Amino acid sequence: MKYRTEHKIIRTDMIHLLMEAKRQFQQEQKDEIISESLKERAEFNDEDLLAQCVLFFLVGFETMSVCLSYLTYELCINPEVQSKLYEEILAVEQELQGKPLSYSMLAKMKYMDLVIAELLRIWPPAFSLDRVCGKDIDMLDDNQQLLAKFRKGDIVVVPIIALHRDPENFPEPNLFKPERFLEENKSQIKPFTYLPFGVGPRSCIGNRMALMEVKSIIYHLLCKFQLVPAEKTVKNMMDSLKGFHMQPKEKFWIKLLRRNNL
């Protein structure tokens, strides 16, 4: 951060956002701007900035763990999807010609993106999210009939997994179909019905890091192993979940078979 400040380097990433938040707070204090929002806001110093960075990594690791667990599960019970993804991985391996996997090569893997997108639909990292209502809102339907009233300060809970598994939003919602997210099919997805990381300025800030880690790990895993169901693999994952936790009662059991090309 010191280097960026001294050399006036600006990058649209989390570090820049945190530096801007700190700069804005210090400027408001310097100018003695005592607004209502400033009165309610805590001081933002170097320790707060560091805490946000630590939180960024912790939340990212949790998201990555959940995504990897369910991704390996879905791949082992959907062998046709796994085979197609493995073909794409082999094509990338041949293009790399022994070079390490890079960010640009991961970004070119279109089927990988489809698989991850479908995974986040059927198994979002969080079943629901909550937000504080910022102003009074009357929600009306297409016929201008009142559906619900929200008042400033109300806690609004959005049931993400219910939206993702609603057949009106996604036909055959319990089937793992990455093709839903093909470019030609994206127009069929209704706005605000796909919210794996939330939406807007308070969406998950660690999602990009988590997704790149998941893609990298599953790339190397499928390069070396085939994922198949084990004896203890859960047959019906949804029935196995406890309450609002993402962990099944029987845990995750998957068998890894070494590929013959190694």
Side-chain angles (χ1 to χ4, degrees):
M1 288 186 287
K2 180 180 178 182
Y3 182 85
R4 289 191 184 189
T5 303
E6 291 176 348
H7 294 81
K8 297 181 180 179
I9 297 174
I10 297 177
R11 293 175 181 165
T12 54
D13 55 18
M14 179 189 171
I15 293 178
H16 176 69
L17 293 176
L18 292 174
M19 291 172 63
E20 281 296 293
K22 179 183 176 182
R23 183 194 62 78
Q24 182 179 354
F25 184 85
Q26 291 175 338
Q27 186 64 43
E28 288 176 342
Q29 285 188 317
K30 181 179 178 181
D31 296 341
E32 295 183 349
I33 300 174
I34 311 298
S35 62
E36 288 299 321
S37 60
L38 185 59
K39 290 178 181 178
E40 299 175 356
R41 194 168 62 195
E43 181 182 358
F44 194 85
N45 53 33
D46 288 341
E47 290 185 358
D48 298 311
L49 194 150
L50 177 60
Q52 290 297 318
C53 292
V54 172
L55 179 64
F56 177 81
F57 282 100
L58 291 177
V59 174
F61 287 138
E62 181 183 1
T63 302
M64 180 188 68
S65 175
V66 172
C67 288
L68 270 177
S69 297
Y70 282 96
L71 179 54
T72 51
Y73 169 78
E74 288 294 340
L75 289 176
C76 85
I77 64 173
N78 293 280
E80 68 287 350
V81 175
Q82 182 179 171
S83 296
K84 194 169 181 179
L85 181 57
Y86 179 59
E87 290 176 4
E88 183 179 59
I89 290 173
L90 279 182
V92 172
E93 275 289 285
Q94 293 174 0
E95 188 174 346
L96 287 172
Q97 296 182 341
K99 297 178 182 178
L101 180 64
S102 63
Y103 175 85
S104 60
M105 291 303 293
L106 269 181
K108 291 171 60 176
M109 300 183 67
K110 301 303 181 184
Y111 192 69
M112 174 79 82
D113 290 338
L114 299 181
V115 170
I116 299 295
E118 175 67 348
L119 170 79
L120 295 174
R121 180 198 68 82
I122 200 167
W123 298 113
F127 275 18
S128 64
L129 60 82
D130 53 73
R131 294 291 183 265
V132 177
C133 188
K135 63 179 181 180
D136 294 349
I137 297 175
D138 291 339
M139 182 179 291
L140 308 177
D141 62 13
D142 294 338
N143 299 319
Q144 299 303 303
Q145 296 296 314
L146 181 66
L147 293 177
K149 290 185 177 182
F150 299 105
R151 294 296 172 255
K152 183 177 180 179
D154 287 350
I155 304 297
V156 181
V157 178
V158 181
I160 297 176
I161 197 165
L163 291 172
H164 288 189
R165 289 179 178 253
D166 189 334
E168 292 189 6
N169 298 331
F170 298 94
E172 299 179 300
N174 294 324
L175 294 183
F176 192 82
K177 297 171 61 176
E179 289 73 20
R180 300 178 199 271
F181 294 92
L182 287 169
E183 286 297 327
E184 56 266 31
N185 296 332
K186 282 186 176 180
S187 60
Q188 300 176 20
I189 299 177
K190 301 175 184 177
F192 305 109
T193 60
Y194 181 68
L195 307 169
F197 294 110
V199 68
R202 295 196 177 276
S203 60
C204 176
I205 61 173
N207 71 83
R208 285 191 296 177
M209 183 189 78
L211 291 179
M212 293 311 300
E213 288 179 317
V214 169
K215 291 177 183 180
S216 300
I217 292 173
I218 207 67
Y219 177 95
H220 290 293
L221 185 63
L222 288 188
C223 263
K224 297 176 174 62
F225 300 99
Q226 179 185 1
L227 309 179
V228 297
E231 291 183 7
K232 296 183 180 180
T233 300
V234 177
K235 298 298 188 294
N236 190 324
M237 182 63 73
M238 186 60 76
D239 289 345
S240 180
L241 298 180
K242 300 180 293 184
F244 288 96
H245 297 289
M246 293 291 289
Q247 188 179 77
K249 291 178 290 186
E250 296 86 353
K251 311 299 183 184
F252 288 93
W253 294 88
I254 296 169
K255 184 185 294 184
L256 277 65
L257 301 179
R258 186 175 293 274
R259 294 191 183 276
N260 297 326
N261 59 343
L262 296 177

